[in-house]
Amino acid sequence: MNFELTSSQTEVLETFREFARKKIAPRAAHIDESEEYPRDLFNEMGRMGFLGLPIPEEYGGSGADFVTASLISEEFGKISGGFALSFGAHAYLCAYNMYSLANEAQRQKYLPRLCSGECLGAFALTEPGSGSDSTNLATTAVRKGGDYILNGGKIFITNGSIADIFLVYARTPRGAHSWGVSAFIVEKKFPGFSVGRDIPKIGTKGSPLSELIFNNCRVPVENLLGREGHGVAYMLKGLDIERALLSGLAVGAAQAAFKFALNYAKERRQFGRPIASFQLVQEMLAQMATEIEAARLLVRQACWMLDQKMDITKQASCAKLFCAQMAVRVTQTAMQVLGGYGYCKEFPVERFWRDAALIGIGGGTSEIQKLIIARELIKERPRKVMIAA
Ligand SMILES: Cc1cc2nc3c(=O)[nH]c(=O)nc-3n(C[C@H](O)[C@H](O)[C@H](O)COP(=O)(O)OP(=O)(O)OC[C@H]3O[C@@H](n4cnc5c(N)ncnc54)[C@H](O)[C@@H]3O)c2cc1C
């Protein structure tokens, strides 16, 4: 097993790191406080080739691998969880999912605009009545001539109020070999589409969260993605990728909080000594460092497997489950190391803690990850039990 990064992975990471340090980091606190989406930075990321990382160059992407994408997720999570979440919804949930489902004409029409940043993307699955039970959709799509007519509503849609292009799941008639769910490309200008209320949240701020409304929304037949009725399989595959990369964001938030706490512990003096010299503080630092390393390896493994075209359902859920729990534990411990300052807004650690709390909910809750992992374990073929003599 080789843990060394390739020269192209290092190059993309260093380029992003420099951009994030110079352009995103100075605005991260403001993005959190003002809840303003930094569209100018998004546009710049488009020009730099970050918005279509794993999409082939012929469609405007950068043709990078998923290990590279995981490095960027972690780096982004260290700086601004809100902007990182919006980026993920655009680049992976919308653009990459669209790439993997779209026919040639759809790819040519939509991907260059998403990769360049001319258009912003969103992914609309969750509904008021169907969150964890994600295939139980009430939004319907009924074919009428050259259009599908969509009716219903979506909730908790990242980028909902600012996106131009939406990957939407809706219920179509159930067939003998289909679950009756289909995927569509919806443009915000389509008649019958509108954005509902914005939903305030406690973390990942600067990434708008909204309701969407479909009221006899006309979607041309050519905007059906893949085959009618086969949306559940598409949805599950797309969610695997989201889970692996959202886990990278959790590692980033934890790493940033840990680094802050480590430096603080070395400088803060009590009882005439730096608090880092107390073994109870050292225990917190050692535990945090170990958990972050373990989480990073889970993410790296899932993304490496993706690059090998392997099935990552179990690995993605293991990574997401562990990273979500790890990130909350680590960011909270980092607050503890900072004492009173940890609970105040003077330092960014409280922001990382608020950002980290999302990872156990978005992209499927931790409970759902446990169910997926258990299902995958049970269906694995039993191996011969070797009993040592
Ligand atoms: C900030 C944010 C961004 C989001 N972005 C998007 C987006 O861009 N697009 C999108 O489509 N969705 C998005 N979501 C929605 C997200 O995916 C859902 O919130 C999530 O899947 C959980 O669904 P729910 O909120 O309806 O919770 P529920 O499904 O109602 O779950 C409530 C509780 O019950 C538990 N539970 C449910 N079923 C079971 C079960 N079978 N066994 C055990 N426990 C169970 C859950 O684990 C949870 O603890 C976002 C959510 C947030 C908070």
Side-chain angles (χ1 to χ4, degrees), residues 85 89 93 122-128 130-133 154-159 201 203-204 209 242 358 360-368 371:
L85 183 70
L93 281 175
F123 172 87
L125 171 64
T126 307
E127 299 183 353
S130 95
S132 299
D133 189 7
K154 299 284 177 183
I155 194 167
F156 299 140
I157 306 306
T158 297
N159 297 344
K201 54 186 173 159
T204 58
L209 192 70
E242 185 202 7
L358 165 70
I361 299 170
T365 64
S366 289
E367 292 71 34
I368 295 302
L371 296 181

